[in-house]
Structure formats: C-alpha cells, structure tokens
Amino acid sequence: MPLALLALAVSAFGIGTTEFVMMGLLPNVADDLHTSVPTAGYLVSAYAIGVVIGAPLLTALGSRIPRKRMLVLLMGLFTVGNLASALAPGFGTLLGARVLAGLPHGAFFGVGAVVAARLVREDRRARAVATMFLGLTVANIVGVPAATLLGQHLGWRATFLVVAAIGLVAMAALGRLVPYVPVDEGQGVGRELRALGDRQVLLGLLTAVFGFAGVFAVYSYLASMTTEVMGFGESAVTLVLALFGIGMTLGALVAGPLTDRALRPTLYGSLAALALVLVGFRFAVHQQAPALVGVVVLGAVGFMTTTPLQMLVMNKARHAPTLASASNHSAFNLANAGGAWLGGAAIAAGWGWTSPALVGAALAVVGLAVAVTAGLLDRGRDRDGSGTGSGTDGTPSRVVASGSRPEPLAEAAAGPARATATAEAVRSAGTD
C-alpha cells in the first residue's frame, strides 16, 4: 500500500478522536461550564451539524482545487476548529467551535476516499479506502479512551489541544506523502451536482442514513448501558468503548477485500448481520461476558457497512465522485443524529436502557430494504439497456454488444493503456 494512505489514516485518526471523544467528556464539560449534561449533549449534535453542512459546501467550493492541496486546507480548518474548542471561554463559543471543527470532516473523507482509490489498482480500491478508514477505527481503540482519560485528569481543554496537535502532524504528513492529484478535466460544481442527482447515488445515501442509524441508536447510549445494565462501574466505560473500536477495526479489515470482490452482497450481508446482532445484543447485554463479546461484534458488523456504502456512491458517480463521496459522510452524520434521537426517545418512553438495540435493528432492516430495492432497480436498468448498471461488485459497466465483456467506464472512456498510464502517473507523481 502507498505511504500516502498512512497520511490519510493519521488524519482520519485525528478526526475520529475529536468526533467521538465529546461523548465521554460531557460530564466534565457540563461541570466546568456550569450547564447540565443533556444541554452539553448539544455539543455532539453541533459537530454532526457541521459535518452535514460542510461536506457538500466545502466540496463544492473546492471542486477546482487540486486534491492534495484541498486535503491540507481541510485539515488546517479542522486544526483551527479544535484549537478554538480548547480556548472557548463559554458554552456558546464552544458550540460554535464544534460546528467549525465538524465542517471539514465529510469533505476530507470524501476527497480522501477518491484520492485513496486512485493510488492503487482498480481491484484494490475498496481496500485502499478501508485503510484510510482504519484511522477512524483506531481512534476508537486508542484515541478516544486516551483523550477521555486525559480530559478527566487534566481538563477537557487539554484534550482538544492534543487533537489540534494531531491535526498539525496530519497536515505535515499529507504535504509530505500524498502525491499531486490533479482535478479532472471539465470537473466543476455542475458536473458534481449532476452526478449526485443519480438515482442510485441518492438511494445509496438513503441506505447510509437508515442503516448506520441502527449503529448509533445503541452506540450513543453504550456508556449508560455499561453502568446501568451490564453492571460495570464508570471506570469500565473506556474499556467498553475501546472494545467497540476493536470491533470497528476488524470490520474495516474484513470489509475492504469483500467489497473489492462483491460490493452489493457485502452491503446486504453486513446490514442483515447488523439487524440480527442488534436483536441479540438486546438480550446479551444483561450478562457481562456476553455483553463484552456483543460490543465487539456490534462494532464489527456496524462498520462493515461503511466501505461498501462509500464505494457504491463513488462508483455510481464515477465521473464526478467527490461530492457524492463527501455527501455520504453527511448521510452518516444524519444517521448519527437520527439514531441517537430515536434511541433516546425509546428510553424516554420508558422502554428501558436496552430498547435502543431494537430500534437500531428496525432501522437496519429499513436500510437493507432500501439497499435491496436499489439493487433490483439497477439490475432492471441493466436489462433494458437504459443506462449504466452494475454487476454484483457494483462497478459501473458499459452495456456492449451481445457476447462482449462489459468494460469499466473509466477504461472504456480512455482505453486500457491510457487508464493504466494515468494510474501509474498518480502513484509515482511528486509532491504538489
């Protein structure tokens, strides 16, 4: 794998740490800023709002900026947002700083996924994207627990100062290791918007909203389940969160190769497994050993959905994938907010601390239904020759004369030799 993927993974580590650490620091922040924990919870939503707004907006504004430069600029904004969080004098200022820190999140992962896919051969694209996402999963194993402990002992402001320092390291790594990746000829906001409007792209985004909401319906209340249902003390919360991160990492490692081989079956299987695991988790959580195993398995099947969803929207918006790729992270954060809200509503209704697991299972089933519907529509479009469809791997193909093998669009447009030369040029190019 190219070293540039390491720079992307380091950046993802920083982003993942700042996204999830606030959940563990809410009591500390609430106490220091003289507010309640539920009110401090708006800081989690503020970050998600920043992601939802920033992903399409910053991607559109940067549509003509070379990809490497765009990544460095986005990580710079991320660093400023975390520094502002550390220095915020009051709750309102911190709320705004969290929105600012969230703005580059979706755009970074959107641009980063496109760059990662261009650094490797066609048959290893999903593995490259999954490698970048490993930084996000490792953040949940190491970054979030360590940052939570740091915040508990040295104050929550110290946590965001450290995350800002990680941002500076990531900027240096991006500048040093990522090759120059030019903007495609004819690329622009109009072309990106047209690609985003493709029916298959929109259905992929809708799948992400419902499917991943099933994960966050439970994850948002995992700390409370640890103390209220599993019977552990507060000190065990960081361990449980780390186990969830280990599961996420395992899911990312498995999802890359599976997605490269068969995209849609991997997506269907991961969503179906997520629904089943969530139902099982509802019962396993009452006993400590099965509960801990369930946390790892839940993290694994939950994160297995991210790589096929990312590759699906990129494939279906193949000639202008950046905005669609970034919008996928807006969808993930809508899932974050929606899943947390629905899980909380179930608890508030008196259904118990384990009720979010059943809510999550229902959401995963809805996501699976949307994904299967999209697959059937795509096959129908292939059969009637009315557009670009896909095989089981989800890679767009051009419909050719009977008896001929469909060619991937990228190579059909430029010719096999030219496509190979382009890939080699990107891999071997120097710095921007």
Side-chain angles (χ1 to χ4, degrees), residues 11-376:
S11 303
F13 176 85
I15 292 173
T17 299
T18 203
E19 178 182 15
F20 295 112
V21 74
M22 183 57 75
M23 297 174 186
L25 293 178
L26 287 181
N28 307 81
V29 174
D31 183 62
D32 185 55
L33 299 181
H34 308 293
T35 187
S36 66
V37 171
T39 300
Y42 292 134
L43 296 168
V44 177
S45 301
Y47 186 91
I49 290 170
V51 178
V52 172
I53 295 173
L57 178 62
L58 295 182
T59 303
L61 290 175
S63 62
R64 299 299 302 164
I65 299 176
R67 305 296 83 185
K68 174 180 175 176
R69 190 178 305 162
M70 183 67 173
L71 289 171
V72 174
L73 289 173
L74 290 169
M75 190 50 58
L77 181 58
F78 166 85
T79 302
V80 170
N82 281 281
L83 185 60
S85 297
L87 301 177
F91 181 76
T93 311
L94 180 58
L95 201 67
R98 287 292 288 172
V99 174
L100 180 63
L103 286 175
H105 177 125
F108 183 90
F109 279 116
V111 175
V114 173
V115 170
R118 290 187 179 186
L119 293 171
V120 297
R121 300 193 314 266
E122 183 81 13
D123 62 341
R124 298 184 66 86
R125 292 170 67 229
R127 270 168 278 201
V129 173
T131 299
M132 179 185 70
F133 282 139
L134 279 177
L136 191 64
T137 66
V138 172
N140 281 273
I141 301 173
V142 180
V144 173
T148 300
L149 287 174
L150 178 68
Q152 291 171 346
H153 289 86
L154 298 180
W156 61 270
R157 296 179 188 277
T159 294
F160 292 107
L161 284 174
V162 170
V163 174
I166 294 173
L168 291 174
V169 172
M171 290 175 67
L174 292 168
R176 177 68 177 171
L177 299 176
V178 176
Y180 174 74
V181 180
V183 177
D184 292 338
E185 186 177 350
Q187 200 75 10
V189 176
R191 189 177 180 184
E192 293 281 354
L193 288 173
R194 286 192 296 273
L196 184 62
D198 181 90
R199 181 176 64 183
Q200 286 295 318
V201 172
L202 294 175
L203 287 172
L205 297 177
L206 191 61
T207 302
V209 170
F210 282 104
F212 213 63
V215 179
F216 273 94
V218 173
Y219 183 78
S220 301
Y221 303 97
L222 194 55
S224 297
M225 290 184 193
T226 299
T227 56
E228 301 294 334
V229 184
M230 297 180 197
F232 291 108
E234 285 189 7
S235 59
V237 171
T238 53
L239 170 64
V240 172
L241 293 178
L243 288 175
F244 188 87
I246 290 172
M248 292 172 66
T249 302
L250 294 174
L253 289 170
V254 171
L258 288 178
T259 302
D260 276 326
R261 294 186 63 178
L263 192 156
R264 286 199 188 272
T266 301
L267 178 58
Y268 300 156
S270 60
L271 287 170
L274 176 60
L276 292 173
V277 169
L278 283 166
V279 172
F281 189 75
R282 158 71 174 77
F283 301 99
V285 74
H286 293 283
Q287 298 182 14
Q288 291 184 345
L292 295 178
V293 173
V295 168
V296 175
V297 176
L298 178 58
V301 297
F303 209 76
M304 273 186 68
T305 63
T306 58
T307 298
L309 282 168
Q310 188 73 43
M311 295 307 301
L312 179 65
V313 297
M314 287 170 59
N315 286 342
K316 294 306 176 184
R318 194 176 185 99
H319 293 299
T322 309
L323 182 57
S325 178
S327 297
N328 201 40
H329 293 274
S330 291
F332 284 144
N333 276 267
L334 285 174
N336 181 346
W341 179 74
L342 290 172
I347 295 171
W351 295 352
W353 285 107
T354 60
S355 59
L358 297 181
V359 172
L363 290 167
V365 169
V366 174
L368 177 60
V370 175
V372 171
T373 300
L376 293 174

